[in-house]
């Protein structure tokens, strides 16, 4: 992991010897708008390494898109991957790397951990400050057949990550706000997690300190170069933490809002954070978390998040269905340190969202 201004250009030597033809995996605009793509192609041109660009990654990338990207990369003869963008292109680049590196595989194999898969050399360059995907082995894909988002079962850490906070400067304030709230989610869900360790907590505590120092700027949406640096670093600290622990209930609860209602990932996760913290029975631990984040009470944290995100509403019947579904999400329940009852699940949804009851026709 190389983090500094101009990291890509200063680290040009790291592109040598990793492959002979690069596939750049990007979204439609952000890689170019942030300046990251030009830095990469300047370096590749200077080293005489040919490249092709797959720029079709949508937000919350689908399995279809990554299959298409892998097919494109193989056809072009690429033998290493450079993912540039927010979590969506970075996650897609991991899936594409695995599919290209294991030629006989299909998209479904990404969700079967018993099938051995090997990725191509992967470089990750983030342009948002939320997912930490550049340092995690996870990739979340939209599965249209199942009408949901799901983390792939295969794991792949990028081989190399370049972090340059100047790439955040082209982002609209709301993107920084939402992705910084995603970071907060990773920090909290890693800390309040049965798999937390000395190492994950070390990353969380450092990340919370950075986040807390700059959090007031999330309310105004005015960011300085130093703010971008802090939020980017907090994001990768949080990424390292969830690489140890995984995420917990707020992430599980977010997927419905994102898939069915189009709510951006960070906003959807942030909606459920205060109720997750409130549900945790270990109040001493929670007091410590609030102190690290610079809040004097749980209520203050809830208000702060709502001032950034606003409050979402959902038909009551859908909220109750979501609560039921959460109780059968065994993978995420395993990352929650307390026993979740049906009543607790329902109140977490009710506290986090406004339940709208449809009026009956007269
Ligand atoms: P994103 O979905 O990658 O991007 C959101 C939007 O912001 C896109 O329109 C993108 O444009 C634009 N954008 C990104 N960077 C920009 C910049 N610097 N300037 C201007 N526009 C920019 O956002 P994200 O929140 O970073 O990623 C969310 C995804 O990551 C979700 O699918 C989520 O499930 C996943 N995730 C993964 C992990 C993990 O560990 N792997 C953890 C949490 C979440 P383009 O479309 O042009 O790129
Ligand atoms: Fe997340």
């Amino acid at each position: 992991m190389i983090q500094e201004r101009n990291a890509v250009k200063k680290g040009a030597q790291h592109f040598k010897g990793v492959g002979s033809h690069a596939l750049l995996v990007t979204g439609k605009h952000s890689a170019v708008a942030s300046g990251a793509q030009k830095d990469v192609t300047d370096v590749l041109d200077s080293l005489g390494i040919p490249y092709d660009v797959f720029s079709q990654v949508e937000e919350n990338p689908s399995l279809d898109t990554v299959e298409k990207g892998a097919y494109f990369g193989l056809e072009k003869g690429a033998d290493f991957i450079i993912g540039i963008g927010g979590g969506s292109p970075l996650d897609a680049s991991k899936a594409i790397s695995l599919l290209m590196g294991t030629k006989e595989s299909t998209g479904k194999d990404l969700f079967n951990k018993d099938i051995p898969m090997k990725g191509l050399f992967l470089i990750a360059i983030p342009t948002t400050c939320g997912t930490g995907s550049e340092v995690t082995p996870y990739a979340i894909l939209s599965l249209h057949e199942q009408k949901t988002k799901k983390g792939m079962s295969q794991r792949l850490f990028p081989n190399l990550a370049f972090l340059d906070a100047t790439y955040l400067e082209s982002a609209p304030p709301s993107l920084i706000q939402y992705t910084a709230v995603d970071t907060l989610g990773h920090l909290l869900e890693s800390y309040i997690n049965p798999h937390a360790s000395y190492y994950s907590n070390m990353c969380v505590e450092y990340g919370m300190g950075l986040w807390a120092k700059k959090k007031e700027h999330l309310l105004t949406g005015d960011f300085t170069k130093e703010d971008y640096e802090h939020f980017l670093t907090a994001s990768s600290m949080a990424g390292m933490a969830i690489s140890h622990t995984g995420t917990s209930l707020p992430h599980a609860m977010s997927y419905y809002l994102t898939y069915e209602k189009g709510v951006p990932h960070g906003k959807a996760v942030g909606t459920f954070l205060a109720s997750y913290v409130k549900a945790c029975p270990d109040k001493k631990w929670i007091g410590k978390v609030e102190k690290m984040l610079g809040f004097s009470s749980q209520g203050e944290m809830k208000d702060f998040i709502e001032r950034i995100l606003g409050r979402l509403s959902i038909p009551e019947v859908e909220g109750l269905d979501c609560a039921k579904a959460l109780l059968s999400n065994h993978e995420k329940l395993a990352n929650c340190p307390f026993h979740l009852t049906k009543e607790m699940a329902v109140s977490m949804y009710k506290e986090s969202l406004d339940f709208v009851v449809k009026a009956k026709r007269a």
Side-chain angles (χ1 to χ4, degrees):
M1 193 175 137
I2 298 168
Q3 179 170 1
E4 61 177 320
R5 279 180 191 268
N6 265 322
V8 170
K9 289 201 164 168
K10 286 188 189 159
Q13 77 276 13
H14 296 289
F15 288 76
K16 280 188 203 159
V18 301
S20 59
H21 188 139
L23 174 69
L24 275 55
V25 176
T26 72
K28 293 202 172 55
H29 310 289
S30 64
V32 174
S34 62
Q37 185 164 327
K38 180 159 186 330
D39 287 349
V40 167
T41 54
D42 283 353
V43 166
L44 294 175
D45 288 339
S46 73
L47 297 172
I49 300 174
Y51 60 86
D52 283 284
V53 185
F54 179 73
S55 60
Q56 293 178 39
V57 181
E58 72 279 40
E59 289 182 42
N60 309 297
S62 69
L63 183 58
D64 302 343
T65 298
V66 300
E67 285 179 323
K68 213 163 137 187
Y71 183 77
F72 175 85
L74 288 171
E75 210 179 44
K76 298 290 181 188
D79 58 4
F80 74 106
I81 317 282
I82 305 173
I84 308 172
S88 296
L90 298 191
D91 283 7
S93 69
K94 292 176 192 172
I96 291 173
S97 160
L98 284 165
L99 291 173
M100 286 177 64
T102 321
K103 291 199 182 64
E104 64 284 3
S105 63
T106 69
K108 286 209 167 76
D109 298 340
L110 295 170
F111 294 89
N112 183 345
K113 66 177 175 6
D114 297 327
I115 293 185
M117 290 183 84
K118 197 171 173 329
L120 295 182
F121 192 94
L122 175 62
I123 298 175
I125 305 174
T127 64
T128 63
C129 52
T131 70
S133 182
E134 67 280 2
V135 292
T136 76
Y138 311 126
I140 323 295
L141 300 176
S142 292
L143 300 180
H144 296 315
E145 269 179 24
Q146 296 178 30
K147 289 192 185 312
T148 190
K149 291 176 60 169
K150 201 170 172 194
M152 62 177 194
S153 315
Q154 298 282 341
R155 297 282 183 254
L156 184 75
F157 281 104
N159 300 79
L160 198 55
F162 289 98
L163 283 84
D164 183 340
T166 52
Y167 299 151
L168 302 183
E169 291 174 16
S170 58
S174 61
L175 184 63
I176 301 297
Q177 290 166 322
Y178 295 163
T179 57
V181 171
D182 187 23
T183 288
L184 177 64
H186 298 161
L187 294 168
L188 287 168
E189 291 174 54
S190 177
Y191 215 50
I192 307 173
N193 192 306
H195 308 297
S197 65
Y198 290 125
Y199 300 100
S200 61
N201 285 348
M202 174 182 75
C203 296
V204 169
E205 288 170 15
Y206 193 76
M208 280 189 181
L210 290 170
W211 196 93
K213 221 168 164 182
K214 298 294 180 183
K215 72 177 193 297
E216 296 304 324
H217 297 188
L218 293 172
L219 295 173
T220 60
D222 288 329
F223 301 111
T224 63
K225 286 184 188 301
E226 197 186 62
D227 297 342
Y228 291 125
E229 197 77 51
H230 271 60
F231 285 125
L232 184 64
T233 312
S235 162
S236 55
M237 287 290 154
M240 288 184 229
I242 58 168
S243 295
H244 287 260
T245 59
T247 54
S248 185
L249 305 187
H251 269 70
M253 296 163 88
S254 77
Y255 295 151
Y256 183 82
L257 291 184
T258 298
Y259 193 87
E260 294 295 340
K261 311 286 179 194
V263 179
H265 176 69
K267 184 171 180 170
V269 168
T271 295
F272 300 106
L273 289 180
S275 67
Y276 182 58
V277 172
K278 190 175 162 205
C280 178
D282 190 342
K283 300 301 170 210
K284 224 167 79 196
W285 193 241
I286 297 310
K288 196 174 165 200
V289 169
E290 283 158 12
K291 204 164 153 209
M292 282 192 292
L293 290 171
F295 294 116
S296 59
S297 66
Q298 271 170 38
E300 199 192 337
M301 181 165 102
K302 184 172 190 291
D303 290 347
F304 184 88
I305 296 173
E306 275 186 18
R307 277 171 70 194
I308 300 173
L309 303 180
R311 208 173 148 84
L312 298 166
S313 55
I314 186 173
E316 183 177 33
V317 56
E318 289 180 30
L320 295 175
D321 281 352
C322 284
K324 212 160 112 192
L326 182 64
L327 291 164
S328 55
N329 187 338
H330 301 293
E331 196 189 323
K332 292 293 186 199
L333 286 174
N335 292 345
C336 171
F338 50 88
H339 175 66
L340 185 77
T341 63
K342 189 173 161 214
E343 291 68 33
M344 283 164 86
V346 171
S347 28
M348 279 174 72
Y349 276 95
K350 279 194 174 159
E351 282 162 19
S352 309
L353 296 160
D354 290 328
F355 275 14
V356 184
V357 185
K358 266 199 183 159
K360 282 199 182 124
R361 286 189 185 190

